[in-house]
Amino acid sequence: VEASIPEPQREAWLKHKTHGFKDKDGFEREVVRHVETTLARSMFNCDESAAYSACSLAFRDRLILEWNRTQQRQTYNDSKRLYYLSLEFLMGRALDNAMLNVGQKDVAKAGLAELGFRIEDVIEQEHDAALGNGGLGRLAACFLDSLASLNYPAWGYGLRYRYGIFKQEIIDGYQVEVPDYWLDFNPWEFPRHDVTVDVQFYGYVHKTTDESGKAVARWEGGETVKAVAYDVPIPGYDTPTTNNLRLWSSKAASGEFDFQKFNSGDYESSVADQQRAETISAVLYPNDNLDRGKELRLKQQYFWVAASLYDIVRRFKKTKRAWREFPDQVAIQLNDTHPTLAIVELQRILIDLEGLEWDEAWNIVTNTFGYTNHTVLPEALEKWSVGLVQHLLPRHLQIIYDINLFFLQSVERAFPDDRDLLRRVSIIEESQPKMVRMAFLAIVGSHKVNGVAELHSDLIKTTIFKDFVAIFGPDKFTNVTNGVTPRRWLHQANPKLSELIASKTGDQEYLKDLSHLNKIELHLKDAAFRKEWAAIKHANKVRLAEHIKTTTGVEVNPSALFDVQVKRIHEYKRQQMNIFGVIHRYLTLKSLSPEERKKYQPRVSIFGGKAAPGYWMAKQIIHLINSVGAVVNNDKDIGDLLKVVFVEDYNVSKAEMIIPASDISEHISTAGTEASGTSNMKFVLNGGLIIGTCDGANIEITREIGENNIFLFGNLAEDVEDLRHSHTYGSHTIDPDLARVFEEIEKGTFGDSKDFAALITAVRDHGDYYLVSDDFHSYIETHALVDEAYKNQEEWITKCITSVARMGFFTSDRCINEYADGIWNIEPLAVEPAS
Ligand code: F55
């Protein structure tokens, strides 16, 4: 308010009000202006990179105006906001998305052409914003797109990592990690050097009494790090709403302490302090579905949580409302347990700093938070040692113990004399060392807990959180099946298919209400439509084939069946089973006469995905895939019948190219292990079929598209436990086809067999935890069905079109509306069309 321009001077402001470009001419003028002034270049030295920069700046200027208006509108309206706390936002590229969401891509295309550039080449210049590992981070990005597109008042809060997920290089068949320094030129972020928060670490707790004699705790000493806000505009599709993603960056707090050091000549150590502070937001931890308990990771979590909560509370306090109204103004969603300290931090703010009573504060806290669980894998459930929390956050540990005490007391009242129940649900695990169970803390501190697909939400209720269902009742636990944004994953990734669909649904409304896709089923028999459909898939495959040729040197035939598995490499996702299946196919082909071989359906097996740098088994899988490729791709007997390629550095922008080019994709996790999966949705949405297990969202996809349109195989989740038990305690015989594959690997056909021994022994000698052998036979048989089905192209295309028509449910818009109604209790804010 203090910075507001007084009435008499506002006329000048209004006279010079900024407007974004309106048409092609306006766009070109802005591009040239940015090249010549902002970038200090000219038409004599404007390369594609400069064109990208200038084009982005032109669009950025447009976004800023609507972004400011959106924030003013939301503040003025003063209704409840959602804050989505996620340590990961896997955004990918922003320019293409911005052009499409503001509806000006055609203008930009024509304008860039007149200035001498192809829009595709300009888009390709952008570095992915890769602040995430995989599904969890990409889900957060899809949610931001839907929140803005549906006009919800919502902010994302995350960390501004200097290094995103590493870049993957494949050298001699092995993964090599290269740091991803992405901030050299990033026009999409706005540093807010005036928006900072001091975050405290370490120190001790001083217990004392206030003037009225009430016991109070004061957290003192330790060290302080400064959080600086960087804001990223999130444009909605076909709406002026432009929401905010706030990312925190760490730097040294310049207090007395540093000056003392500096003045006493201790320059080096003052620089070292500076660097230590900056380390907090330096790098994204590259583990997906694995918790490693590193101190720096806990520091990241608290740094980001403390800064975000301070910001949220500061905004609430400006409204001068009573504290009990906090949950009517603020909903906070925890994307997995990574932000669980937010529960403790809000309780601390309310009782230690604002002087509320424990019960009143705790009521506010639990009504504010919701928690989304993304995994049942035990190795992914976060735990922090009590000693570490005590050291880093002494006051928080006390509050955690108090939360646990009151919780266990209430459990004891409801279930008297059940000591074992208390032990099982305690937030503190009485192990050596003692551990804080973050998922339990998140459950106790939230009003809703959700899983991300039906099977997964049922599993958490019957396995890892069973006791909590008994304690809190079943209504606290719910399901919100994941979804994906059709703007990026259809319109942007597959513009030709998007256009064809629009021509049959009548308009592009289906991008806002994906259920309209069902209209294309009426055109199932339209020969011209089908032909066009097939031509688009083929063109997408040609584009991928070109990429494969230039990056790997392998020539693949675009008419072959493209079989794709792209996702993080993990034993539970079973890329090892896929490559064993490929070897089986290779051996089968080799055993046939040239005549018989010709009857076989040509295939390209395409893999992509990163292994966590410390995950040795995952790295062995990558090595085996590349080693098999090296043999198969150079085998003259085989030719086009089988190619095996590993696409380096799978990321969001590669996904946009690969997914539209797939005929069949693999979602083959051991039943009960993949919480949802989201690429399965993207593949089907782009006219690819899938082969998969009865796991995660595959089950709901099957229900929607019909079981004739999906290739399901393998054991069911309910049988997994017994099978594992039988491996360990019964006699474990390996599937004969798989044994034949192992034999060939051990003969050295794909290089030194010692390199792959661990992959074999995991199945043969170490209990086959992921049931590769149990599922192998049905996997191979189902692939044979895929071959057969593909030979009948007419039927295949019918399956593809029917499936796309029935995918409306899997939009992240549906998903966000479910969260808004069932968990956040927020409403969209009506907007006038963009000015
Ligand atoms: C990252 C860090 C930690 Cl410490 C734990 C997990 C992760 C992570 O990346 N998890 C992840 O991606 N989970 C995935 O979430 C998706 C979205 O809900 C699901 O579709 C997918 O099944 C699940 O594995």
Side-chain angles (χ1 to χ4, degrees):
V1 181
E2 319 80 57
S4 178
I5 302 296
E7 225 24 273
Q9 280 77 42
R10 287 192 187 176
E11 207 181 306
W13 282 80
L14 292 171
K15 185 169 142 203
H16 300 294
K17 195 168 151 44
T18 316
H19 299 278
F21 63 83
K22 291 236 170 351
D23 52 17
K24 177 164 61 73
D25 259 15
F27 168 74
E28 289 179 39
R29 194 176 321 119
E30 288 299 286
V31 171
V32 171
R33 181 174 71 80
H34 279 300
V35 169
E36 293 184 346
T37 62
T38 320
L39 305 177
R41 294 205 187 197
S42 74
M43 69 167 118
F44 302 108
N45 78 13
C46 184
D47 56 9
E48 274 164 358
S49 152
Y52 160 72
S53 301
C55 182
S56 296
L57 290 164
F59 272 92
R60 182 179 96 150
D61 289 344
R62 272 189 70 113
L63 292 193
I64 297 171
L65 299 173
E66 289 302 347
W67 189 28
N68 283 333
R69 281 194 268 267
T70 302
Q71 297 317 312
Q72 281 163 22
R73 188 164 57 239
Q74 292 179 1
T75 304
Y76 179 80
N77 183 271
D78 200 26
S79 53
K80 186 171 181 180
R81 278 206 186 103
L82 163 74
Y83 297 102
Y84 196 78
L85 267 57
S86 179
L87 257 193
E88 307 192 6
F89 288 95
L90 196 44
M91 303 296 284
R93 290 178 176 147
L95 174 60
D96 201 2
N97 182 247
M99 295 192 298
L100 289 166
N101 279 16
V102 307
Q104 297 281 356
K105 189 170 177 180
D106 291 342
V107 164
K109 184 178 170 142
L112 285 169
E114 288 193 356
L115 296 171
F117 295 94
R118 269 169 36 110
I119 192 167
E120 295 80 13
D121 302 334
V122 171
I123 289 168
E124 283 285 316
Q125 294 299 311
E126 184 172 354
H127 198 115
D128 273 32
L131 306 185
N133 274 288
L136 172 148
R138 183 54 230 178
L139 186 75
C142 284
F143 281 6
L144 292 182
D145 184 75
S146 285
L147 285 162
S149 299
L150 295 167
N151 303 308
Y152 282 109
W155 282 40
Y157 274 107
L159 270 188
R160 178 183 179 268
Y161 303 107
R162 193 159 54 222
Y163 298 93
I165 189 69
F166 62 85
K167 287 192 168 302
Q168 178 193 55
E169 287 181 9
I170 302 296
I171 298 179
D172 299 334
Y174 291 95
Q175 167 175 298
V176 173
E177 300 96 24
V178 178
D180 168 47
Y181 184 80
W182 69 293
L183 291 170
D184 253 353
F185 175 79
N186 178 9
W188 306 105
E189 65 170 14
F190 293 78
R192 304 281 192 202
H193 294 293
D194 55 330
V195 181
T196 64
V197 181
D198 283 341
V199 179
Q200 188 180 355
F201 292 104
Y202 308 109
Y204 54 91
V205 181
H206 183 65
K207 293 229 166 168
T208 173
T209 50
D210 66 6
E211 315 82 58
S212 64
K214 192 180 133 190
V216 288
R218 266 190 275 142
W219 179 18
E220 290 169 350
E223 62 180 48
T224 302
V225 177
K226 194 181 282 300
V228 182
Y230 284 71
D231 287 348
V232 181
I234 309 294
Y237 175 75
D238 195 28
T239 170
T241 300
T242 305
N243 281 339
N244 193 29
L245 168 60
R246 177 157 285 178
L247 302 176
W248 298 105
S249 180
S250 62
K251 63 181 238 173
S254 48
E256 292 292 314
F257 185 65
D258 306 283
F259 285 111
Q260 260 172 37
K261 271 194 181 172
F262 185 75
N263 290 334
S264 65
D266 202 354
Y267 177 68
E268 264 178 58
S269 109
S270 118
V271 170
D273 285 352
Q274 189 95 13
Q275 283 179 342
R276 224 160 58 83
E278 288 175 13
T279 301
I280 293 178
S281 61
V283 52
L284 165 78
Y285 275 90
N287 302 308
D288 73 310
N289 285 305
L290 180 72
D291 167 47
R292 290 188 159 258
K294 288 273 205 294
E295 175 169 353
L296 182 61
R297 167 89 174 179
L298 185 60
K299 272 186 118 167
Q300 288 187 333
Q301 294 186 348
Y302 181 65
F303 169 79
W304 149 66
V305 152
S308 305
L309 267 181
Y310 186 92
D311 209 41
I312 293 166
V313 166
R314 166 165 70 191
R315 201 166 299 122
F316 172 76
K317 282 173 117 179
K318 278 199 199 155
T319 70
K320 308 259 192 240
R321 284 186 161 82
W323 279 110
R324 68 183 138 70
E325 291 179 59
F326 191 81
D328 305 328
Q329 291 297 108
V330 174
I332 303 179
Q333 191 64 24
L334 307 175
N335 196 22
D336 216 298
T337 54
H338 317 151
T340 301
L341 283 171
I343 288 169
V344 189
E345 177 70 356
L346 182 57
Q347 181 71 3
R348 184 183 77 85
I349 292 171
L350 294 177
I351 62 175
D352 287 358
L353 308 181
E354 301 295 335
L356 271 67
E357 295 299 327
W358 178 278
D359 287 344
E360 193 191 358
W362 187 242
N363 213 1
I364 292 168
V365 168
T366 51
N367 282 310
T368 300
F369 289 99
Y371 155 52
T372 305
N373 172 279
H374 296 267
T375 186
V376 294
L377 301 187
E379 66 271 27
L381 295 176
E382 280 192 301
K383 291 175 187 179
W384 293 105
S385 85
V386 164
L388 179 57
V389 179
Q390 158 79 48
H391 177 56
L392 190 68
L393 303 165
R395 178 59 183 143
H396 293 77
L397 186 68
Q398 292 177 344
I399 295 174
I400 291 170
Y401 268 93
D402 286 343
I403 292 170
N404 195 36
L405 176 69
F406 296 134
F407 167 61
L408 292 181
Q409 283 174 345
S410 76
V411 175
E412 176 140 55
R413 281 194 297 276
F415 302 85
D417 307 319
D418 193 344
R419 301 283 309 167
D420 199 61
L421 176 64
L422 298 182
R423 182 191 60 76
R424 291 199 306 272
V425 301
S426 174
I427 293 168
I428 306 297
E429 180 181 86
E430 296 292 329
S431 46
Q432 195 59 258
K434 289 186 189 170
M435 302 295 254
V436 183
R437 298 157 157 167
M438 300 309 272
F440 292 5
L441 179 54
I443 295 171
V444 173
S446 301
H447 67 289
K448 285 277 181 190
V449 177
N450 76 285
V452 290
E454 275 177 23
L455 174 71
H456 169 65
S457 299
D458 288 343
L459 280 175
I460 61 179
K461 283 199 274 185
T462 52
T463 62
I464 52 175
F465 301 152
K466 187 167 184 257
D467 291 325
F468 291 88
V469 177
I471 292 165
F472 291 110
D475 293 350
K476 179 160 178 166
F477 296 83
T478 180
N479 171 248
V480 184
T481 298
N482 282 166
V484 302
T485 171
R487 273 76 66 179
R488 183 175 293 259
W489 296 111
L490 183 50
H491 192 42
Q492 177 176 323
N494 203 343
K496 289 269 155 48
L497 190 63
S498 169
E499 204 182 309
L500 179 64
I501 290 169
S503 78
K504 295 299 167 195
T505 58
D507 51 34
Q508 296 199 320
E509 271 304 294
Y510 78 95
L511 290 172
K512 295 203 246 179
D513 179 352
L514 202 63
S515 67
H516 290 195
L517 275 180
N518 64 14
K519 296 184 194 168
I520 68 172
E521 215 167 333
L522 298 171
H523 302 270
L524 202 53
K525 301 223 162 80
D526 175 341
F529 174 59
R530 296 169 63 92
K531 203 171 154 210
E532 181 66 6
W533 186 282
I536 290 167
K537 178 60 77 181
H538 189 78
N540 291 334
K541 290 168 72 178
V542 168
R543 181 171 63 151
L544 177 56
E546 280 163 4
H547 176 81
I548 290 170
K549 172 78 183 140
T550 48
T551 54
T552 69
V554 179
E555 260 179 69
V556 304
N557 180 354
S559 298
L561 191 167
F562 279 20
D563 170 348
V564 182
Q565 188 177 17
V566 284
K567 50 183 86 232
R568 288 297 291 259
I569 311 293
H570 215 294
E571 287 163 280
Y572 87 81
K573 295 177 189 282
R574 298 201 292 190
Q575 284 95 351
Q576 74 276 41
M577 185 168 76
N578 185 343
I579 194 65
F580 293 154
V582 169
I583 295 172
H584 176 266
R585 175 175 292 262
Y586 175 62
L587 296 178
T588 307
L589 287 168
K590 289 292 274 185
S591 72
L592 296 175
S593 67
E595 280 313 301
E596 285 172 315
R597 257 181 223 146
K598 284 201 195 107
K599 296 183 200 147
Y600 246 74
Q601 170 58 48
R603 277 221 188 199
V604 184
S605 260
I606 298 163
F607 292 83
K610 295 173 187 178
Y615 191 173
W616 184 79
M617 278 291 235
K619 291 183 154 181
Q620 301 303 106
I621 296 173
I622 293 177
H623 184 216
L624 179 58
I625 294 167
N626 284 304
S627 304
V628 170
V631 172
V632 171
N633 299 342
N634 296 306
D635 189 326
K636 295 280 176 298
D637 294 344
I638 300 299
D640 273 356
L641 288 175
L642 184 59
K643 294 283 181 212
V644 181
V645 294
F646 191 96
V647 178
E648 202 171 63
D649 198 39
Y650 178 62
N651 59 16
V652 172
S653 51
K654 297 254 169 74
E656 288 169 25
M657 166 178 55
I658 294 169
I659 291 171
S662 125
D663 292 309
I664 193 130
S665 61
E666 310 232 359
H667 309 274
I668 57 176
S669 48
T670 311
T673 62
E674 189 71 276
S676 163
T678 42
S679 76
N680 42 6
M681 304 166 189
K682 298 167 194 169
F683 279 102
V684 179
L685 193 57
N686 282 279
L689 302 185
I690 64 188
I691 176 166
T693 44
C694 294
D695 201 17
N698 292 352
I699 297 169
E700 287 149 87
I701 292 175
T702 307
R703 190 189 306 156
E704 292 293 312
I705 70 178
E707 59 187 2
N708 292 332
N709 297 316
I710 189 164
F711 298 91
L712 290 180
F713 73 95
N715 284 286
L716 302 180
E718 56 199 273
D719 299 320
V720 168
E721 208 185 276
D722 287 350
L723 285 166
R724 281 180 182 157
H725 188 87
S726 76
H727 296 168
T728 317
Y729 300 101
S731 68
H732 185 211
T733 48
I734 299 299
D735 174 88
D737 284 324
L738 185 58
R740 174 74 190 85
V741 169
F742 289 170
E743 197 183 296
E744 198 67 26
I745 295 172
E746 289 179 325
K747 263 186 10 201
T749 303
F750 308 104
D752 190 347
S753 72
K754 284 199 295 298
D755 291 2
F756 314 118
L759 296 173
I760 294 175
T761 53
V763 174
R764 202 173 46 196
D765 312 315
H766 299 150
D768 193 13
Y769 189 75
Y770 296 103
L771 274 50
V772 171
S773 177
D774 305 82
D775 283 347
F776 198 69
H777 186 69
S778 90
Y779 180 58
I780 297 298
E781 277 192 326
T782 307
H783 265 303
L785 295 179
V786 171
D787 285 334
E788 275 316 298
Y790 196 73
K791 282 187 183 149
N792 187 340
Q793 274 295 302
E794 287 308 323
E795 259 181 51
W796 184 273
I797 291 170
T798 298
K799 287 182 197 292
C800 295
I801 297 174
T802 311
S803 300
V804 173
R806 300 175 182 178
M807 282 298 285
F809 180 77
F810 298 99
T811 168
S812 45
D813 295 348
R814 183 267 314 153
C815 189
I816 286 299
N817 283 326
E818 284 183 19
Y819 278 100
D821 290 347
I823 299 177
W824 302 331
N825 195 23
I826 59 167
E827 309 245 335
L829 180 53
V831 286
E832 313 261 298
S835 55

